[in-house]
Amino acid sequence: MIKEKESRVIQHYFDMDRYEEAVPSIEKLFENDPFDPDAFFYMAVVHFSKSDYASARKMCEQALNYGFDPAQCYYLIGQAHEEERNFKEAEEAYLSALELEPENGDILASYGYLMVKAGFEEKGLQLLVEAKRVTPASERVNQLILQYYFAKSDQNQQFLYIQNVMEGASSEIQNLVNLGLFHALKNEDKAAMEYFRQAFLLDPTNSDLLKILEEYHQLTHPLFFPQRLIKKAGGPAVIYSLFMVITILLFFLKQFIVLLPFAAIYIVLCIYTWITPFFYKRYINGKI
């Protein structure tokens, strides 16, 4: 009776991504049974949410020893290794999980994306496609496929998968992140930043969200207005080529009165774009 009640509470907090708040209920499970495999696994999830990957693996191993679902244990152990970029160990754990559940789409997708990160893109994409075939509605599967196409800068596929992910988002935080990504794809940086900010406010310990928020704060800060104009014009290479063409043209036309201030403005612009990132990091970054 105690276990059933506390497990419902734990799952409720997990569904809302409020892992720390589940700890008292997990401790009650341990009080009821010091060898409760579910309690060990729940605690592993809590440690994982805090980026304490060594403790997460340790708890998972205990859960495994006391009879928890081995596929789920290996899966979480693999994720913990992957977060620490221990790709070989992560692969071994994912393969152990897939031996037990060869058609688990979430595990297939995680293993596939690991292969992509490790440099085996063809194999990774095949695994992602297989994961999509097995569990087409899985939020995890669609999220990893979306991340793959973000890395490939394939905007058509990005829009397709972000729609799938948004439709299947299981938490408010994930939905806000997806909305942020959607606006990011449309180059609507301010709107994207606002959604990322709302997601971060719901999970202020999430270092990944903080990193994204800091990047978008920099993208939208007034200091970087010249950089945004340069980007819209085609990037630094285009601006440099245009500068060289105009400079050569003015030189041959002997328009030195125009050439000198034009060159001075370009040099000032270059210096400005070089020093603003350092100025931002020194005086502004961290004040989001």
Side-chain angles (χ1 to χ4, degrees):
M1 188 69 178
I2 293 174
K3 180 167 183 175
E4 185 179 340
K5 176 187 174 183
E6 298 304 332
S7 293
R8 283 200 303 268
V9 173
I10 293 165
Q11 195 58 55
H12 172 70
Y13 283 126
F14 279 12
D15 288 342
M16 296 189 295
D17 296 328
R18 291 159 57 180
Y19 300 99
E20 285 280 1
E21 294 179 52
V23 171
S25 291
I26 298 172
E27 290 174 344
K28 287 180 183 178
L29 291 183
F30 277 124
E31 289 172 7
N32 185 57
D33 179 4
F35 307 107
D36 187 331
D38 293 354
F40 279 109
F41 187 79
Y42 289 144
M43 194 59 80
V45 173
V46 172
H47 285 305
F48 186 90
S49 74
K50 297 190 295 183
S51 302
D52 185 354
Y53 303 119
S55 296
R57 287 195 299 273
K58 184 177 179 181
M59 288 290 116
C60 254
E61 288 163 2
Q62 291 284 69
L64 186 62
N65 290 337
Y66 292 120
F68 194 81
D69 181 352
Q72 290 304 306
C73 287
Y74 287 127
Y75 179 34
L76 188 56
I77 289 170
Q79 288 179 299
H81 277 303
E82 183 177 349
E83 289 293 333
E84 293 185 320
R85 301 190 67 79
N86 301 325
F87 291 164
K88 184 173 183 289
E89 291 83 355
E91 180 181 17
E92 290 171 357
Y94 287 147
L95 287 173
S96 295
L98 286 171
E99 283 182 13
L100 299 164
E101 295 186 13
E103 292 202 347
N104 186 309
D106 289 0
I107 302 173
L108 278 168
S110 295
Y111 180 38
Y113 198 67
L114 174 72
M115 290 294 96
V116 171
K117 290 198 290 187
F120 303 100
E121 185 174 326
E122 184 177 351
K123 179 180 180 180
L125 183 57
Q126 288 174 351
L127 287 162
L128 288 169
V129 169
E130 176 64 12
K132 180 69 174 175
R133 184 193 67 80
V134 172
T135 51
S138 167
E139 179 183 351
R140 174 70 174 169
V141 171
N142 284 298
Q143 191 77 50
L144 289 175
I145 293 174
L146 174 63
Q147 289 176 210
Y148 170 79
Y149 284 115
F150 259 106
K152 296 295 290 182
S153 300
D154 188 333
Q155 195 171 78
N156 290 331
Q157 291 293 333
Q158 288 168 11
F159 275 116
L160 172 65
Y161 280 100
I162 202 167
Q163 183 178 359
N164 290 338
V165 173
M166 287 172 70
E167 289 173 352
S170 61
S171 72
E172 185 177 359
I173 292 174
Q174 188 60 62
N175 191 48
L176 288 168
V177 170
N178 294 337
L179 285 167
L181 291 171
F182 180 75
H183 285 283
L185 280 176
K186 297 168 70 178
N187 293 317
E188 297 171 353
D189 294 337
K190 288 186 178 179
M193 178 182 170
E194 183 54 34
Y195 281 114
F196 291 136
R197 185 194 297 278
Q198 290 178 36
F200 180 70
L201 289 174
L202 291 175
D203 186 9
T205 61
N206 190 314
S207 58
D208 292 332
L209 279 177
L210 178 60
K211 184 178 179 181
I212 292 171
L213 189 57
E214 287 175 342
E215 288 175 358
Y216 272 87
H217 184 262
Q218 178 172 327
L219 279 173
T220 57
H221 196 277
L223 268 178
F224 293 90
F225 178 71
Q227 282 91 328
R228 291 196 291 275
L229 287 180
I230 291 170
K231 182 180 178 182
K232 287 183 179 180
V238 172
I239 297 297
Y240 175 75
S241 299
L242 186 61
F243 166 74
M244 292 302 297
V245 169
I246 294 174
T247 299
I248 293 169
L249 182 62
L250 291 173
F251 181 80
F252 279 108
L253 292 175
K254 298 183 179 181
Q255 296 295 317
F256 301 114
I257 295 176
V258 179
L259 176 59
L260 290 175
F262 175 72
I265 291 170
Y266 178 77
I267 292 169
V268 169
L269 179 64
C270 289
I271 294 172
Y272 181 88
T273 57
W274 291 336
I275 67 172
T276 45
F278 300 104
F279 184 85
Y280 176 85
K281 288 179 182 179
R282 178 66 178 85
Y283 297 103
I284 298 171
N285 193 25
K287 299 178 181 179
I288 298 174

